[in-house]
């Protein structure tokens, strides 16, 4: 396992902490609590994003998708993709992608006994590297539809790195009938106070070395260009096909799922 930096907060471990996971250090918990103080709805937003991922994966499984490329996966902690998918289909296969050495090291340990699931060490912006990685090619069959998952990662991709072009490059690499899943943080809230809270939380992440690019609903919807959105389209993350377990009070993110034809 790679050396872990337990002196500096890490976004993947902060996320793990908010989800109730055990793969985090004191410095992560302190930063997470500072972010919670700045934006009290942040933990609920994190949980809602994970719950959206669960609902989206189940939706894809219902359409016949049984292989997933999870881009910017972080640590496969509580409610991870391979456990959700493999509970429904023993055929399910998952490739997680992350560049953070701590997330990758933890993932290698957690996935050691999962033959149909791997973590590969790549920046999601390195599309060619991700797609050509021998592990990607071993696990995923690109002649069949794939679920492309961008849940909670594109807001870490600045405009200068062309997130729309990034999504398009992955979209063009998969077979027709694949699906695109995006969950993305926003700075838009229903009140000025809410937007100010998001701004304060964003600064906490910035101080931890994580630049967050918050986008509007229209900007997030534009990431689905070239696909066919499934109902209800791009909506607040807690309002995408909610179930009885969904917390619904207008959280700081938008989400959508679309078919790639």
């Amino acid at each position: 396992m790679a050396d872990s930096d337990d002196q500096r907060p890490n976004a993947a471990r902060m996320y793990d902490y908010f989800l109730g996971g055990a793969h985090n250090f004191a410095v992560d918990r302190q930063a997470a609590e500072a972010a919670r103080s700045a934006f009290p709805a942040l933990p609920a937003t994190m949980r809602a994003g994970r719950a959206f991922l669960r609902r989206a994966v189940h939706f894809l499984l219902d359409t016949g998708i049984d292989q997933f490329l999870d881009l910017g996966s972080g640590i496969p902690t509580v409610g991870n993709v391979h456990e959700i998918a493999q509970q429904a289909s023993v055929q399910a296969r998952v490739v997680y992608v992350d560049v953070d050495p701590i997330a990758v090291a933890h993932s290698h340990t957690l996935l050691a006994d999962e033959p149909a699931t791997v973590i590969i060490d790549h920046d999601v912006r390195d599309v060619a590297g991700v797609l050509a990685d021998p592990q990607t090619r071993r696990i995923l069959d690109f002649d069949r539809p794939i679920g492309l998952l961008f849940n909670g990662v594109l807001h870490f991709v600045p405009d200068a790195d062309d997130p729309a072009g990034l999504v398009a490059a992955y979209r063009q690499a998969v077979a027709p009938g694949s699906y695109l899943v995006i969950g993305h943080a926003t700075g838009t809230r229903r009140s000025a106070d809410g937007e100010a809270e998001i701004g304060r939380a964003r600064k906490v992440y910035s101080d931890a070395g994580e630049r967050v690019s918050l986008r509007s609903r229209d900007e997030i919807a534009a990431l689905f260009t070239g696909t066919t959105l499934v109902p209800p389209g791009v909506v607040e993350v807690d309002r995408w096909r909610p179930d009885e377990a969904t917390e619904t009070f207008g959280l700081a993110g938008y989400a959508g799922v679309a078919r790639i034809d």
Side-chain angles (χ1 to χ4, degrees):
M1 185 171 178
D3 291 339
S4 294
D5 178 4
D6 60 359
Q7 302 303 309
R8 186 171 183 236
N10 169 274
R13 298 193 311 255
M14 290 167 66
Y15 185 44
D16 174 75
Y17 170 69
F18 280 128
L19 295 177
H23 304 284
N24 51 77
F25 300 126
V27 67
D28 307 306
R29 296 188 285 274
Q30 291 166 3
E33 288 302 327
R36 184 207 300 265
S37 294
F39 178 31
L42 182 58
T45 297
M46 296 290 193
R47 293 194 303 272
R50 200 65 164 185
F52 159 69
L53 180 64
R54 170 182 54 80
R55 299 194 304 276
V57 168
H58 279 300
F59 173 82
L60 267 57
L61 288 163
D62 288 344
T63 69
I65 301 293
D66 63 1
Q67 48 179 357
F68 303 86
L69 182 59
D70 188 349
L71 295 147
S73 55
I75 301 166
T77 183
V78 178
N80 60 69
V81 172
H82 72 277
E83 289 184 350
I84 295 168
Q86 290 167 7
Q87 285 174 2
S89 171
V90 294
Q91 307 298 323
R93 307 175 75 79
V94 179
V95 173
Y96 292 115
V97 182
D98 210 287
V99 72
D100 181 86
I102 295 166
V104 171
H106 278 307
S107 298
H108 278 306
T109 300
L110 291 169
L111 301 174
D113 298 321
E114 299 288 344
T117 304
V118 297
I119 175 78
I120 61 172
D121 182 359
H122 285 283
D123 190 314
V124 299
R125 294 168 293 186
D126 177 16
V127 180
V130 169
L131 297 177
D133 190 286
Q135 292 283 63
T136 303
R137 293 292 164 174
R138 179 179 69 84
I139 294 292
L140 303 180
D141 178 358
F142 281 80
D143 291 327
R144 297 174 51 242
I146 291 171
L148 293 176
L149 311 179
F150 289 92
N151 192 50
V153 63
L154 290 172
H155 46 249
F156 292 114
V157 178
D159 290 344
D161 287 337
D162 188 15
L166 177 70
V167 172
Y170 281 105
R171 189 185 74 234
Q172 292 160 9
V174 297
S178 296
Y179 279 81
L180 172 63
V181 174
I182 297 176
H184 194 300
T186 184
T188 305
R189 291 280 285 172
R190 295 175 181 174
S191 70
D193 288 346
E195 293 191 5
E197 289 175 348
I198 292 172
R200 290 193 292 270
R202 182 183 187 183
K203 185 177 185 305
V204 172
Y205 276 86
S206 177
D207 291 345
E210 299 285 355
R211 293 177 58 193
V212 180
S213 297
L214 301 175
R215 297 184 171 98
S216 69
R217 181 194 175 280
D218 287 347
E219 289 172 318
I220 295 166
L223 298 171
F224 288 96
T225 298
T227 67
T228 302
L229 281 161
V230 302
V234 178
V235 294
E236 289 176 318
V237 64
D238 49 334
R239 295 183 176 179
W240 193 89
R241 301 194 175 204
D243 55 25
E244 65 279 358
T246 304
E247 301 174 81
T248 56
F249 51 89
L251 297 167
Y254 289 98
V257 176
R259 181 181 168 89
I260 300 169
D261 297 311

